[in-house]
Amino acid sequence: MRTKLPRHSGVLLHISSLPSPFGIGDLGTEAYAFADTLASSGFDHWQILPLGPTGYGNSPYASRSTFAGNELFIDVRSLVRSDLLSESDIACPPPFPTDHVDFEAVLAWKLPLVKRAALRFLQKHDQTDRTFDYRMFCDSERYWLDDYALFMTLYEHYHDARWFSHWHEDHGHRKQGAIAAYLAAHAQEVEIWKVMQFLFHLQWLDFRRHVNRLGIKLIGDLPIFVAADSVDTWSNLELFKTDTEGNFTALSGVPPDFFSATGQLWGNPVYDWNACAHTGYRWWIQRISRALQYTDILRIDHFRGFDAYWEVPAGQITAEHGTWVQAPGQDFFATLRRVLGEVPIIAEDLGVMTPSVEQLRDTNGFPGMKICQFGFSLDPQGNLDAYDEFLPHNYGYGCVAYTGTHDNDTTLGWFKSIDSRLQAETCRYLHCSPNEVVMSMIRAVIASHAQYVVVPVQDIFNLDSKARMNTPSTCGPGNWTWRLTDSQFHRFPSDHLHELLKTYGRISVEKLPLPV
């Protein structure tokens, strides 16, 4: 009897993109309702973007901390129920836009509210279980929490200026006496940041329990690099390539290619892998272990950087004059496995992959990614290449198939942007008319042999380029801001998707009846 290989399906939607009355998606009613909707549709995975607090540009891939949760995702309605805020505190939020996040306005209104709740928590001074839990949280998370709370307090003190260029030298270089004096003078402010992380922690664990009870796993996202302007670099500078004065000597990016004649200079500092290895990769293991507190599977962004990465000397304005530098990927993942056991990882293996990157991925058993949009290009004769690895009929089992990702245009936007000949070939391949392309592509990836299929929610709603989440290598005002509206949220096509997933064997037997 032939073994039936399990087939899974999921939806890509970041927490910030959920509807809510408070300007940004959060861990409130709508998050729970969306999980219920996914379950009723037959999906068993929900993929999100990195959860860290964002800085300039609002990119979750350049967060203030790789360990902390975004305080703006805290549900203020839950804080009212916990008697940490009053109904009047949240009764009259500003008239936030409903289809995108105005980060500046949300930060100005919501962060002071969450701080107020944190202060009230501290002022209770009781011996309830919740107070005991907070102390336990502070003890168990001390390895990152103390530095984060101090860093964010200093960040406010310096009005969001970069720590490595605008802070007083004693603070930027963590001089022990100056740091101790600052902590003594700002103890309550530092403690408030710790409480906010505790509140996020409690709400996220409640949310994850709900999601998992529905039979859904959360796919998290871990950028390989961290932001220069983060507590991660400030408190672990020895793990990055620097000169004798602590200045970053090299930055990350990718070399010139078909898409960019000058490459992409990302600007993240690069790791001193020898220093990381000397510690037994302790910081990395802590980082991944922490991420798995909140998610079930980790997608590692720019996976190829564990094999080799493009290093550009500091001071360059493009990525043209860099070099490939080897990284100890096999040793790292072997060490990770010894400490944590088997870690569920999805390797973001897009772009030009070398045999050694593929070997690193495959020997560790990590599924790679296939992006359906990438499969549609014309050969010199004006035909599709039937052997293109990104066309659904070529997917092997060990991969995660997407119509597109957060970095791509929506499928409708992409289709409208390509020339008429490619549009015709796309429709020919998908056996559909032009106005059926998006759902036909969704059907094609769901029908493929891929073990996992993940569909961005924008494609489920057939949205155009205005719903794009991010345009790489830009800092445009529309990046990272898109949100589902309430009306879209309540028009999720559960019945149709359930039938599609059932048809192609992506719903387990116990999930076949459509919940009422």
Side-chain angles (χ1 to χ4, degrees), residues 86-212:
S86 67
E87 288 282 1
S88 61
D89 286 329
I90 68 169
C92 298
F96 293 117
T98 59
D99 61 351
H100 68 277
V101 181
D102 181 338
F103 279 98
E104 186 175 348
V106 170
L107 190 68
W109 181 80
K110 190 170 187 179
L111 188 62
L113 271 184
V114 180
K115 284 187 175 184
R116 187 183 308 171
L119 181 59
R120 185 178 177 97
F121 180 93
L122 291 172
Q123 290 171 339
K124 287 191 171 184
H125 291 303
D126 57 22
Q127 297 301 314
T128 63
D129 290 343
R130 190 47 48 90
T131 303
F132 176 76
D133 290 344
Y134 170 62
R135 294 303 166 198
M136 291 289 290
F137 171 77
C138 290
D139 287 343
S140 65
E141 307 301 322
R142 176 165 286 115
Y143 66 94
W144 66 269
L145 183 62
D146 288 358
D147 283 328
Y148 173 73
L150 172 59
F151 180 83
M152 294 306 292
T153 305
L154 281 162
Y155 233 87
E156 291 191 328
H157 175 85
Y158 286 104
H159 306 291
D160 287 353
R162 296 183 172 190
W163 71 261
F164 50 83
S165 58
H166 289 83
W167 288 17
H168 190 283
E169 181 182 2
D170 288 352
H171 293 153
H173 290 277
R174 295 170 60 88
K175 298 294 179 63
Q176 187 172 353
I179 292 297
Y182 190 87
L183 272 170
H186 300 271
Q188 187 178 81
E189 296 164 67
V190 172
E191 194 76 14
I192 283 172
W193 281 100
K194 292 183 182 181
V195 174
M196 288 195 289
Q197 282 302 303
F198 177 62
L199 296 174
F200 174 91
H201 178 78
L202 292 179
Q203 289 193 9
W204 186 269
L205 292 187
D206 284 345
F207 168 67
R208 182 183 177 185
R209 279 190 288 270
H210 178 80
V211 171
N212 289 166

Side-chain angles (χ1 to χ4, degrees), residues 63 72 90 170 253 257 382 477 496:
S63 70
L72 297 182
I90 68 169
D170 288 352
D257 56 18
H496 175 69

Side-chain angles (χ1 to χ4, degrees), residues 24 28 42 153 226 263 407 420:
I24 189 171
T153 305
V226 297
D407 280 336
S420 58

Side-chain angles (χ1 to χ4, degrees), residues 258-315:
F258 174 79
F259 298 102
S260 173
T262 59
Q264 295 179 37
L265 183 61
W266 295 336
N268 307 81
V270 299
Y271 299 106
D272 181 338
W273 278 110
N274 289 330
C276 293
H278 184 71
T279 69
Y281 305 106
R282 182 179 61 248
W283 178 84
W284 265 105
I285 290 169
Q286 289 173 332
R287 187 184 183 201
I288 290 176
S289 178
R290 170 71 178 158
L292 289 172
Q293 289 184 40
Y294 288 165
T295 57
D296 301 288
I297 301 172
L298 281 180
R299 171 193 177 273
I300 294 187
D301 195 49
H302 196 59
F303 176 80
R304 75 152 299 156
F306 283 107
D307 177 70
Y309 63 91
W310 187 249
E311 180 176 297
V312 182

Side-chain angles (χ1 to χ4, degrees), residues 328-340:
Q330 289 289 12
D331 184 56
F332 167 68
F333 286 116
T335 304
L336 182 69
R337 190 175 292 108
R338 284 196 300 271
V339 177
L340 298 182

